């Protein structure tokens, strides 16, 4: 089992560019989530999904878009990158939610 | 809405000393509670969790936490700190009344272990 795989690990974008952060899990988990981690802020929920075809907004959704066409994949799209989106992004998945989430190793994004 | 407060953004202990990381939560319904650990440049790893049943839960690497409903607390402890425990620790809660089962995190506590 690979667990939760995030690509790329590092990315530098120019302001206004768009890109997709990839997240894939091979554990057949229904619940998937995207977080951003900023110093002193903990992890904040961007978007989440409770199953294929079902997504919803978290605490900080502005500037991001998601879709969940398969159980395995949950990509995060930055529509027009801004310096405020410089952060470390984590994807996580869970079978039931309350059993705990498995996290990917993160994508470090810098927007210049 | 639930929230999590971790007291102390940075805690230093001597090797062999007791580790105590504090976490208080607010939730209008019985919570599910978690502690995660993050080593530098890595993702988060689940240390332990409380869902139902015994209020004292044991996790990996010798850590344990006790759910105290009356104090709305879920403090993390370890009797004797090792150098390898140096990391950032996050307390998190899931609101059992919300169907989304999403984690809400505290801001984290960075643990330093002094030789």
């Amino acid at each position: 089992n690979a667990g939760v795989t995030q690509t790329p690990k590092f990315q530098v974008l120019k302001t206004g560019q768009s890109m997709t952060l990839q997240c894939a899990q091979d554990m057949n988990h229904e619940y998937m989530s995207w977080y951003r981690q900023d110093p002193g802020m903990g992890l904040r929920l961007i978007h989440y999904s409770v199953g294929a075809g079902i997504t919803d907004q978290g605490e900080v959704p502005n500037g991001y878009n998601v879709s969940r066409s398969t159980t395995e994949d949950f990509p995060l799209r930055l529509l027009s990158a801004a310096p405020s989106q410089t952060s470390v992004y984590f994807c996580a998945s869970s079978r039931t939610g309350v059993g705990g989430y498995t996290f990917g190793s993160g994508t470090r994004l810098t927007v210049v | 809405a639930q929230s999590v407060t971790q007291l102390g953004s940075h805690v230093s202990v001597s090797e062999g000393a007791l580790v105590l990381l504090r976490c208080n939560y607010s939730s209008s319904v019985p919570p599910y509670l978690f502690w995660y650990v993050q080593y530098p440049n890595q993702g988060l790893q689940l240390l332990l969790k409380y869902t139902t049943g015994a209020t004292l839960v044991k996790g990996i690497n010798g850590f344990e936490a006790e759910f105290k409903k009356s104090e709305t607390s879920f403090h993390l402890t370890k009797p004797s700190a090792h150098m390898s425990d140096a990391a950032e620790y996050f307390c998190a809660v899931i609101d059992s009344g919300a169907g989304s089962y999403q984690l809400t995190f505290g801001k984290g506590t960075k643990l330093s272990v002094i030789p």
Side-chain angles (χ1 to χ4, degrees):
Chain A
N1 276 355
V4 178
T5 302
Q6 291 186 239
T7 55
K9 293 191 183 304
F10 302 94
Q11 183 71 49
V12 178
L13 284 181
K14 293 182 179 179
T15 297
Q17 287 185 317
S18 63
M19 78 159 295
T20 299
L21 307 185
Q22 301 292 346
C23 175
Q25 53 91 9
D26 61 357
M27 298 172 284
N28 202 32
H29 286 174
E30 291 296 326
Y31 294 83
M32 296 187 74
S33 312
W34 275 103
Y35 295 87
R36 60 177 290 173
Q37 183 179 24
D38 302 292
M41 300 292 289
L43 282 85
R44 292 180 291 169
L45 183 65
I46 305 172
H47 285 285
Y48 66 93
S49 170
V50 298
I54 307 169
T55 64
D56 207 346
Q57 296 180 352
E59 179 185 355
V60 288
N62 292 340
Y64 307 95
N65 202 356
V66 293
S67 60
R68 183 100 180 267
S69 56
T70 67
T71 299
E72 294 78 20
D73 299 300
F74 191 43
L76 178 72
R77 297 181 185 84
L78 280 69
L79 309 173
S80 177
S84 61
Q85 294 179 302
T86 294
S87 187
V88 181
Y89 291 85
F90 288 100
C91 179
S93 74
S94 175
R95 185 178 304 278
T96 62
V98 299
Y101 279 75
T102 300
F103 281 77
S105 58
T107 294
R108 186 174 295 272
L109 176 68
T110 302
V111 182
V112 297
Chain B
Q2 66 270 30
S3 65
V4 177
T5 300
Q6 292 184 240
L7 295 177
S9 59
H10 198 163
V11 171
S12 293
V13 301
S14 297
E15 190 174 17
L18 171 72
V19 176
L20 171 60
L21 304 182
R22 299 179 186 273
C23 173
N24 288 88
Y25 69 90
S26 69
S27 177
S28 58
V29 296
Y32 301 116
L33 296 160
F34 304 83
W35 276 99
Y36 283 85
V37 60
Q38 184 181 33
Y39 299 102
N41 299 314
Q42 294 188 24
L44 279 73
Q45 179 182 6
L46 181 64
L47 269 180
L48 49 79
K49 63 186 178 187
Y50 168 78
T51 52
T52 59
T55 57
L56 180 64
V57 293
K58 296 184 184 299
I60 62 173
N61 301 338
F63 285 93
E64 62 182 36
E66 186 170 11
F67 169 55
K68 292 187 176 181
K69 183 179 178 180
S70 61
E71 299 177 8
T72 60
S73 69
F74 191 57
H75 302 330
L76 182 70
T77 60
K78 182 174 180 177
S80 176
H82 296 165
M83 295 298 295
S84 59
D85 294 326
E88 191 159 18
Y89 293 79
F90 292 93
C91 182
V93 63
I94 287 178
D95 184 346
S96 64
S100 62
Y101 295 115
Q102 296 299 307
L103 291 162
T104 296
F105 285 91
K107 295 188 186 316
T109 298
K110 189 165 290 187
L111 176 67
S112 299
V113 182
I114 305 165

